[in-house]
Amino acid sequence: MKETVTPGARIADVCVIGGGLVGMAIALGLQRNGLHVAVLDEGDVALRASRGNFGLVWVQGKGDTLPEYADITRLSARLWPTFAAAIEDYTGVDVQLQQRGGLYLCLTEQELEDRTRMLEKMREAAGGDYPYETMDLKQAREKIPEVGDTVAGATWCPEDGHVNPLLLLRAMTKRFKMQGGIIDNTGRVETIVPRPAGFRIRGRAGDWECARVVLCAGLGNRELAPQVGLSAPLLPNRGQVLVGERVRPFLNYPTGHVRQTGEGTLQIGDSKEDVGFDSGTTTKVMAKIAHRAIRLFPLLRDVKLVRAWGALRVMTQDGYPIYQSSTAYPGAHLVTCHSGVTLTAFHEGPLADSIASGLYDSSFEVFHAERFTL
């Protein structure tokens, strides 16, 4: 019997659920493949990890226990310059990409030794093709003269960089709309009903009908994935970020704990807290973040804080993404990760191309959620 479209339902080739950095990157890539795409987003009441992150395009140390993750991270870093240039040409929005390298500053010799050992193992796993350098304090100061006396040294990677994540989200959203994309941010997706010819997606403001659906809803994927025969065992992990006033440019390279934006403000962070869905801030953690930052850069002692926030990372048990297509309901795909900035160019490029072709490439099998049940 021929299936009919639900009366009043809106129609798209693909519905991408989630309008953050991950969802918009996937949506742009699907558009590039000639598909009519609708992004269904919860709106400003959502958790909004895309608006609370650190903005790093970070390579060093990513994938230390999974070479395939190191590979896609480095691939995305290589694709980033072309992606950033193309989106600026199209929208006029400069996302402030800088990829001159980055440093991870260590406060003790043991910390530096452990980090060097980890990166050396990654180099061995890559057959020698993994660029990094271990620096003592003097060498680190050649990159950033303001590094403090109590710093033992740093690891350096020439592939690291950073962007302005708010401008990135704005640019991707603008380009998506300019290319005819639809963003429906009238409320949370309530149910996904698989049908023989695709999917019916029900929300508070009405239904959508689509041949394919891509779940990019961050922590919301936990409830959505089982509806299409997938699993998203995700955990929230809070990070708190301090923002300092504008100061003279001194951080020519981002670091793992402090970065300076294009406007001169400072972002300070890297806390990791298992506190459920509490996205607030605490004096204890903020003090700890500030104390470390001052040890790294003593000049920060006199910098005024202008605001602070907490945001929830989208984490799996092992910290790596879940990329998977549903075998029970073909046409449904899951994309979830906590490195939405770093992996933006990979998501818009190779990953979106794979989804558009109908099924993830076999090389993505290492990222299936079944790894958590083996």
Side-chain angles (χ1 to χ4, degrees):
M1 185 171 104
K2 184 176 180 181
E3 188 172 18
T4 59
V5 173
T6 303
R10 289 164 288 180
I11 302 171
D13 295 332
V14 187
C15 285
V16 174
I17 302 179
L21 293 175
V22 174
M24 293 311 304
I26 293 293
L28 284 176
L30 295 176
Q31 271 189 333
R32 183 172 43 76
N33 278 273
L35 296 169
H36 174 48
V37 184
V39 172
L40 314 185
D41 189 64
E42 189 176 1
D44 285 338
V45 297
L47 293 172
R48 291 297 188 213
S50 294
R51 297 185 183 180
N53 65 76
F54 212 57
L56 295 178
V57 178
W58 202 253
V59 169
Q60 62 167 301
K62 293 286 187 74
D64 60 313
T65 60
L66 188 64
E68 291 86 351
Y69 185 59
D71 290 342
I72 65 171
T73 298
R74 296 186 67 196
L75 172 60
S76 193
R78 292 194 297 271
L79 294 173
W80 248 108
T82 299
F83 171 79
I87 205 165
E88 182 178 2
D89 286 345
Y90 203 96
T91 66
V93 179
D94 177 8
V95 300
Q96 299 178 356
L97 174 67
Q98 292 184 13
Q99 280 182 294
R100 298 191 293 255
L103 295 94
Y104 188 95
L105 299 171
C106 299
L107 289 172
T108 67
E109 292 293 345
Q110 187 62 56
E111 184 183 6
L112 184 60
E113 181 181 329
D114 291 345
R115 189 162 180 84
T116 299
R117 187 180 302 112
M118 174 190 71
L119 294 173
E120 188 57 33
K121 287 182 179 179
M122 295 183 71
R123 176 177 283 174
E124 292 172 2
D129 179 22
Y130 193 86
Y132 85 91
E133 180 182 348
T134 298
M135 299 177 169
D136 59 23
L137 176 57
K138 181 181 178 181
Q139 292 169 316
R141 280 178 165 165
E142 290 175 359
K143 297 288 186 183
I144 308 175
E146 290 81 0
V147 170
D149 292 337
T150 61
V151 171
T155 56
W156 158 264
C157 176
E159 296 178 348
D160 291 332
H162 60 146
V163 300
N164 183 315
L166 298 181
L167 289 177
L168 172 61
L169 183 58
R170 174 188 169 192
M172 289 198 294
T173 301
K174 183 176 181 178
R175 180 164 189 174
F176 179 71
K177 290 181 175 179
M178 290 172 70
Q179 295 176 157
I182 298 171
I183 297 180
D184 178 356
N185 57 4
T186 54
R188 187 182 185 91
V189 168
E190 296 179 340
T191 58
I192 305 172
V193 181
R195 308 176 72 186
F199 303 88
R200 178 188 301 154
I201 302 175
R202 291 174 172 163
R204 295 174 183 173
D207 291 358
W208 281 87
E209 299 278 357
C210 55
R212 307 183 201 178
V213 60
V214 188
L215 309 183
C216 302
L219 292 166
N221 286 332
R222 302 197 315 174
E223 287 74 38
L224 295 174
Q227 298 182 36
V228 292
L230 293 166
S231 175
L234 302 170
L235 304 168
N237 182 273
R238 184 172 70 187
Q240 297 187 42
V241 177
L242 310 181
V243 178
E245 64 181 332
R246 294 181 183 181
V247 298
R248 65 172 177 81
F250 76 96
L251 265 180
N252 294 321
Y253 308 95
T255 74
H257 297 85
V258 184
R259 82 175 188 98
Q260 189 167 26
T261 70
E263 294 77 26
T265 58
L266 295 163
Q267 278 191 258
I268 307 164
D270 197 39
S271 66
K272 297 176 177 65
E273 304 169 80
D274 295 322
V275 292
F277 285 85
D278 181 358
S279 61
T281 57
T282 64
T283 302
K284 181 178 179 180
V285 172
M286 288 192 292
K288 185 177 180 180
I289 292 170
H291 178 70
R292 182 182 179 97
I294 290 170
R295 291 188 64 190
L296 297 177
F297 302 105
L299 65 82
L300 297 182
R301 184 177 290 108
D302 299 320
V303 171
K304 295 179 181 178
L305 295 179
V306 295
R307 62 184 181 276
W309 66 74
L312 299 179
R313 298 180 182 90
V314 181
M315 296 295 292
T316 57
Q317 296 171 33
D318 58 11
Y320 297 125
I322 301 175
Y323 300 138
Q324 191 167 358
S325 299
S326 176
T327 55
Y329 303 105
H333 307 269
L334 174 62
V335 179
T336 188
C337 72
H338 80 279
S339 293
V341 176
T342 298
L343 293 173
T344 290
F346 169 73
H347 288 159
E348 190 279 336
L351 189 63
D353 292 345
S354 185
I355 293 173
S357 72
L359 193 66
Y360 282 154
D361 186 275
S362 60
S363 64
F364 298 142
E365 289 181 3
V366 68
F367 299 112
H368 286 187
E370 279 76 9
R371 69 185 187 266
F372 301 116
T373 59
L374 295 178

